[in-house]
């Protein structure tokens, strides 16, 4: 994984609450055996009509969304299925972070393992972001802060280990493998 | 026992699996006793192993099946099963190849033990109290009904478990949901869990492991308990658990992979000790009066948008409510029972076990599925299919006009050829009513097998209670 220290971008706002991973990428696209190329199917049924045409009123289809790397979403983003295809699709599309007031557990865990940043802020900050689509914000991953256009700096919670892995570009499997001796001892103790 | 030493079921299972405890800087390393796999969430994990030249550490603790992308069309022999779509066919083949290459047990296409991953684990007796069980699938919470700590993981984590048999985890919080009282006629475990999700919300369990307790839970069969734990994820919880008791033991006794002889006695002693201590404390708790719960259905596009089937759709709600009702083409303030139904689906890891099929059959026996309604009955496993056929349930379904299928996930997620056509209304015993979950534009109402069967007969959403009066 590439180290991630900072993400700076305009925001694109999808204010709906409880966006589930079936919306992020519908199940019928999960017959893939690869993790590449899923961006095409991101939010497929919200982005495209039955005729395959782009729905012009969907936020990601609006010209203002071009090049945005930060998604501001409603409460409880990423609920439902554990499919890691969800963060893969978001990343492949070009998004790098989501900001909400709550992010579902499995989605958050999957995101962090792929370098997609799940950021939880308080309601006041969230309300401001919802009301100011396109705001230029930056995320300082090392400091765990979100910097608003006003210069206000909002600290967000993140597991220290997950942050360390993101900033250093560390693969968590490697960390587990370093504990081979302990794993072996644990197995022996249970026999 | 002194209070501080009291532990919950979760804490007992968690602490006995710590290869290394968590610190402020690092998560805990927990050991996994059983890793279940299916074809959809594993291919990329095997690719990773191959890239890194790694082996599977414990093939003996790893078990695969195929359920999501396989068809459920009735066939004489599995050889005749035609997979729908090149992607699905490739995925099934990839699963076979991966299991062969890494030396893993696969209850594959032609196995009589094949079925939905969360149905076959318990059925085989591989699911046992006190185990940590994981699978790249959020409904792994089902196995918690046995007092296991069972939770869904992502594909990267599937790779971690394959390579090291361990996971990096932060300790979740605990949440006791106590359900008391005698359930009314026509009220099942499905209605209870829908009512619970309605009460605590689709994010009510985030960051928590739920323990379901109370006399209503104690009186439930294992199958009902599995239905409850299954939908823990629909409340956002990490897992759902129920303390092992006599019901658990008698269900597991004699299963193919349950311990035998002396080992069984030792296991029972150990399993019994896992139940939460009386004075154990939880981070959060709620109490629910089970006797007040009525048959429940969803009316919106997430499992928290629930109502008693006989009542009117709520008149108003937030902006999400409007969007949901718009998608569902339902009118606020109107009864739901007037809505014409196109499809009825009995199946999924929530409600496809033998008792679910028996309940549906009880209502359908001697009656006909309404004209214009397509009804699918999809057993959770090939074993359940055989049991049902021994009991003659298949005949009841077929005579009523329903389809009797091979096992699989089927219409629960519409990636295998079984789909609800756009715009059609489906009453489904599955667990997710998200937009498009059962097919593009499909409108899903979640319900119990009783409510689903009654709705099939009436051709509109129906209260099952009149069918149960003697
Ligand atoms: S039946 Fe549905 S919820 Fe259960 S494992 Fe299959 S797809 Fe997932």
């Amino acid at each position: 994984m590439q180290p991630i220290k900072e993400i700076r971008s305009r925001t694109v706002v999808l204010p709906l609450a409880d966006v589930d991973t079936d919306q992020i990428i519908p199940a019928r696209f999960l017959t893939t055996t690869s993790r590449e190329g899923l961006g095409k199917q991101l939010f497929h049924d919200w982005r495209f009509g039955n005729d395959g045409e782009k729905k012009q009123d969907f936020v990601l289809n609006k010209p203002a969304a071009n090049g945005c790397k930060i998604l501001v979403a409603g409460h409880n983003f990423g609920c439902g299925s554990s499919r890691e295809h969800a963060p893969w699709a978001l990343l492949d599309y070009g998004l790098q972070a989501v900001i909400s007031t709550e992010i579902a557990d499995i989605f958050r865990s999957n995101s962090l393992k792929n370098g997609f940043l799940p950021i939880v802020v308080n309601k006041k900050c969230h309300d401001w972001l919802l009301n100011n689509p396109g705001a230029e914000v930056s995320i300082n991953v090392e400091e765990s802060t979100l910097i608003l256009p006003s210069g206000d700096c909002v600290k967000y919670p993140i597991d220290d280990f997950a942050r360390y892995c993101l900033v250093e570009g560390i693969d968590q499997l490697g960390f587990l493998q370093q504990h081979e001796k302990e794993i072996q001892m644990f197995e022996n103790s249970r026999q | 026992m002194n209070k501080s030493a009291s532990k919950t079921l979760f804490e007992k299972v968690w602490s006995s699996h710590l290869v290394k405890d968590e610190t402020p800087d690092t998560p805990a390393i927990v050991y996994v006793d059983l890793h279940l796999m299916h074809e959809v969430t594993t291919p990329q994990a095997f690719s990773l192993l191959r890239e890194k030249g790694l082996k599977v550490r414990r093939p003996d603790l790893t078990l695969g099946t195929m359920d999501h992308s396989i068809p459920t069309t009735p066939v004489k022999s599995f050889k005749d099963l035609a997979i729908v779509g090149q992607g699905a066919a490739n995925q099934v083949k990839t699963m076979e190849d991966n299991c062969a290459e890494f030396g893993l047990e696969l209850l594959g296409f032609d196995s009589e033990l094949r079925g939905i991953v969360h149905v076959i684990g318990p059925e085989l007796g591989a699911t046992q109290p006190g185990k940590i069980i994981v699978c790249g699938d959020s409904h792994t919470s089902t196995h918690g009904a046995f007092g296991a700590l069972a939770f869904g993981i992502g594909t990267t984590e599937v790779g971690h478990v394959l390579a090291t048999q361990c996971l990096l985890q932060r300790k979740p919080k605990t949440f006791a949901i106590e359900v008391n009282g005698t359930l009314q006629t026509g009220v099942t475990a499905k209605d209870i869990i829908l009512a619970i999700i309605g009460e605590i919300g689709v994010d009510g369990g985030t960051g928590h492991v739920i323990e379901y307790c109370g006399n209503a839970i104690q009186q439930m069969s294992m199958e009902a308990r599995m239905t409850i734990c299954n939908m823990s994820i629909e409340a956002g919880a990490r897992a759902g658990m129920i303390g092992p008791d006599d019901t658990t033991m008698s269900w597991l006794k004699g299963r193919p992979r349950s311990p035998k002889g002396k080992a069984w006695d030792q296991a029972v002693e150990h399993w019994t000790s896992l139940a939460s201590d009386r004075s154990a404390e939880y981070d959060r708790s709620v109490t629910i009066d089970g006797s007040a719960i009525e048959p429940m259905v969803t009316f919106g596009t997430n499992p928290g948008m629930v109502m008693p089937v006989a009542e009117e759709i709520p008149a108003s709600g937030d902006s999400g409510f409007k969007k949901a009702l718009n998608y569902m083409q339902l009118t606020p303030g109107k009864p739901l029972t007037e809505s014409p139904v196109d499809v009825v689906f009995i199946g999924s890891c929530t409600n496809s076990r033998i008792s679910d099929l028996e309940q549906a059959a009880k209502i359908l026996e001697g009656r006909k599925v309404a004209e214009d309604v397509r009804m699918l009955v999809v057993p959770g496993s090939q074993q359940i299919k055989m049991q049902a056929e021994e009991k003659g349930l298949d005949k009841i379904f077929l005579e009523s006009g329903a389809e009797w299928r091979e096992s699989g996930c089927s219409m629960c997620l519409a990636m295998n050829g079984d789909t609800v056509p756009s715009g059609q209304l489906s009453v489904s015993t599955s667990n997710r009513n998200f937009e498009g979950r059962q097919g593009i534009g499909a409108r899903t109402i979640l319900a119990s097998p009783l409510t689903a069967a009654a709705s099939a007969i009436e051709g509109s959403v129906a209260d099952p209670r009149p069918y149960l009066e003697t």
Side-chain angles (χ1 to χ4, degrees):
Chain A
M1 209 166 65
Q2 291 299 315
I4 307 166
K5 299 200 161 46
E6 192 194 32
I7 302 168
R8 184 189 289 271
S9 160
R10 279 175 299 114
T11 59
V12 54
V13 175
L14 180 66
L16 293 169
D18 306 315
V19 171
D20 59 82
T21 52
D22 271 86
Q23 306 316 313
I24 299 174
I25 180 157
R28 63 182 187 282
F29 300 120
L30 306 189
T31 55
T32 176
T33 54
S34 152
R35 58 172 85 197
E36 313 294 331
L38 294 169
K40 285 199 291 290
Q41 287 128 8
L42 178 74
F43 291 118
H44 187 280
D45 298 347
W46 285 351
R47 265 167 72 205
F48 303 101
N50 288 350
D51 51 3
E53 289 293 308
K54 277 190 179 173
K55 292 185 189 169
Q56 293 310 328
D57 56 346
F58 184 62
V59 284
L60 284 181
N61 289 336
K62 295 190 176 157
N66 278 346
C68 290
K69 295 180 202 157
I70 299 175
L71 178 69
V72 176
H75 189 73
N76 194 30
F77 186 81
C79 58
S81 155
S82 61
R83 59 191 70 169
E84 199 161 319
H85 309 68
W88 294 339
L90 287 157
L91 280 165
D92 189 57
Y93 186 82
L95 290 159
Q96 296 179 6
V98 61
I99 307 176
S100 177
T101 40
E102 181 157 68
I103 292 173
D105 284 334
I106 307 180
F107 176 81
R108 190 187 56 234
S109 158
N110 286 340
S111 295
L112 287 168
K113 291 189 175 58
N114 287 278
F116 182 80
L117 262 146
I119 293 179
V120 171
V121 294
N122 63 29
K123 187 159 183 317
K124 187 168 156 235
C125 175
H126 190 240
D127 282 345
W128 187 88
L129 289 165
L130 289 178
N131 292 324
N132 292 277
E136 180 85 29
V137 301
S138 79
I139 298 164
N140 181 331
V141 185
E142 282 178 293
E143 302 289 329
S144 313
T145 50
L146 169 71
I147 299 133
L148 299 175
S150 60
D152 280 357
C153 202
V154 182
K155 190 103 180 139
Y156 62 83
I158 184 170
D159 178 55
D160 269 345
F161 180 72
R163 183 187 55 82
Y164 171 75
C165 291
L166 288 171
V167 172
E168 302 296 329
I170 285 175
D171 173 10
Q172 300 192 5
L173 176 57
F175 178 82
L176 271 171
Q177 288 172 312
Q178 286 165 17
H179 291 82
E180 171 58 30
K181 227 173 70 202
E182 283 96 332
I183 298 173
Q184 188 80 57
M185 271 164 53
F186 183 84
E187 283 177 333
N188 294 342
S189 75
R190 298 176 102 204
Q191 269 162 17
Chain B
M1 183 181 289
N2 111 19
K3 198 161 184 177
S4 60
S6 296
K7 279 180 157 189
T8 63
L9 164 65
F10 161 76
E11 282 157 349
K12 292 181 195 183
V13 180
W14 172 265
S15 60
S16 64
H17 287 78
L18 290 173
V19 170
K20 197 164 182 279
D21 205 349
E22 63 182 352
T23 68
D25 292 339
T26 52
I29 299 177
V30 298
Y31 197 81
V32 171
D33 301 300
L34 175 62
H35 181 198
L36 299 167
M37 305 182 301
H38 63 68
E39 72 278 27
V40 179
T41 53
T42 51
Q44 298 85 349
F46 284 111
S47 303
L48 182 92
L49 292 195
R50 230 172 264 124
E51 267 162 41
K52 298 196 179 243
L54 297 170
K55 285 204 185 65
V56 174
R57 183 185 180 88
R58 294 295 300 266
D60 56 323
L61 304 181
T62 313
L63 174 63
T65 191
M66 295 177 185
D67 47 8
H68 284 65
S69 44
I70 50 145
T72 66
T73 330
V75 282
K76 287 237 160 51
S77 143
F78 287 135
K79 284 193 231 57
D80 304 330
L81 267 184
I83 301 173
V84 182
Q86 192 49 48
N90 179 42
Q91 195 163 59
V92 165
K93 175 81 173 49
T94 303
M95 183 70 178
E96 286 169 350
D97 293 350
N98 283 333
C99 289
E101 179 183 340
F102 289 91
L104 306 178
E105 183 182 6
L106 174 66
L107 301 175
F109 219 51
D110 54 1
S111 168
E112 289 192 338
L113 300 176
R114 162 163 76 70
I116 303 174
V117 65
H118 310 308
V119 175
I120 64 170
E123 188 170 83
L124 291 168
T127 298
Q128 292 166 11
K131 281 190 177 181
I132 287 192
I133 302 176
V134 300
C135 174
D137 195 287
S138 61
H139 291 101
T140 308
S141 58
T142 315
H143 307 264
F146 292 81
L149 174 58
F151 53 92
I153 56 177
T155 298
T156 300
E157 290 177 313
V158 168
H160 292 179
V161 180
L162 288 172
T164 68
Q165 203 57 31
C166 290
L167 278 174
L168 293 165
Q169 294 284 307
R170 285 284 173 194
K171 188 179 180 183
K173 297 198 183 95
T174 53
F175 185 177
I177 298 186
E178 185 176 337
V179 189
N180 291 315
T182 306
L183 306 188
Q184 298 174 28
T185 308
V187 174
T188 68
K190 181 63 162 285
D191 304 294
I192 303 298
I193 189 64
L194 285 174
I196 289 173
I197 299 163
E199 173 90 16
I200 69 174
V202 288
D203 65 337
T206 304
H208 291 75
V209 168
I210 296 175
E211 181 177 337
Y212 302 95
C213 53
N215 59 31
I217 302 289
Q218 282 162 2
Q219 281 154 24
M220 278 181 188
S221 69
M222 280 322 294
E223 284 152 339
R225 292 179 189 183
M226 283 188 255
T227 301
I228 299 268
C229 288
N230 173 272
M231 289 188 74
S232 303
I233 180 70
E234 266 62 64
R238 207 62 192 91
M241 302 176 89
I242 294 174
D245 60 10
D246 291 347
T247 309
T248 322
M249 309 307 164
S250 39
W251 205 89
L252 282 173
K253 190 159 193 191
R255 303 245 159 209
R257 300 187 188 189
S258 294
K260 307 270 171 327
K262 221 171 140 221
W264 169 259
D265 298 334
Q266 283 167 353
V268 169
E269 193 180 331
H270 169 56
W271 293 345
T272 311
S273 75
L274 292 172
S276 288
D277 300 327
R278 231 168 243 287
S279 51
E281 283 172 11
Y282 298 81
D283 293 301
R284 214 188 136 190
S285 55
V286 299
T287 305
I288 288 178
D289 177 7
S291 68
I293 295 173
E294 295 187 53
M296 302 294 285
V297 286
T298 59
F299 60 87
T301 53
N302 74 49
M305 302 175 84
V306 295
M307 57 179 267
V309 66
E311 284 182 14
E312 277 151 18
I313 300 169
S316 61
D318 54 16
S319 60
F321 171 87
K322 274 189 217 122
K323 183 177 189 291
L325 261 79
N326 197 22
Y327 179 87
M328 291 299 293
Q329 300 170 31
L330 294 172
T331 319
K334 280 268 171 66
L336 194 60
T337 44
E338 287 170 7
S339 317
V341 168
D342 304 293
V343 177
V344 171
F345 170 58
I346 300 216
S348 90
C349 55
T350 313
N351 282 125
S352 64
R353 284 167 281 266
I354 192 73
S355 58
D356 301 311
L357 305 184
E358 281 169 342
Q359 288 179 3
K362 192 171 156 195
I363 288 196
L364 284 167
E365 187 160 22
R367 297 191 173 97
K368 289 277 179 218
V369 172
E371 226 173 297
D372 302 336
V373 171
R374 179 182 183 204
M375 180 174 188
L376 265 79
V377 185
V378 186
S381 70
Q382 294 306 117
Q383 292 290 300
I384 290 172
K385 181 170 184 256
M386 281 194 294
Q387 275 174 47
E389 289 174 356
E390 273 161 29
K391 292 174 182 253
L393 303 184
D394 56 326
K395 297 214 173 53
I396 297 177
F397 294 128
L398 289 166
E399 274 162 23
S400 72
E403 296 173 38
W404 176 242
R405 316 273 295 189
E406 300 297 327
S407 70
C409 295
S410 183
M411 266 188 191
C412 175
L413 89 169
M415 64 175 292
N416 43 49
D418 296 345
T419 58
V420 175
S422 187
Q424 291 202 355
L425 189 73
S426 157
V427 176
S428 172
T429 66
S430 55
N431 43 53
R432 287 185 173 143
N433 52 342
F434 299 148
E435 285 183 29
R437 171 78 178 187
Q438 294 196 282
I440 307 166
R443 302 180 291 138
T444 301
I445 288 179
L446 301 177
S448 74
L450 293 175
T451 303
S455 303
I457 294 164
E458 294 196 13
S460 57
V461 181
D463 188 334
R465 286 171 293 193
Y467 293 89
L468 298 167
E469 284 160 10
T470 41

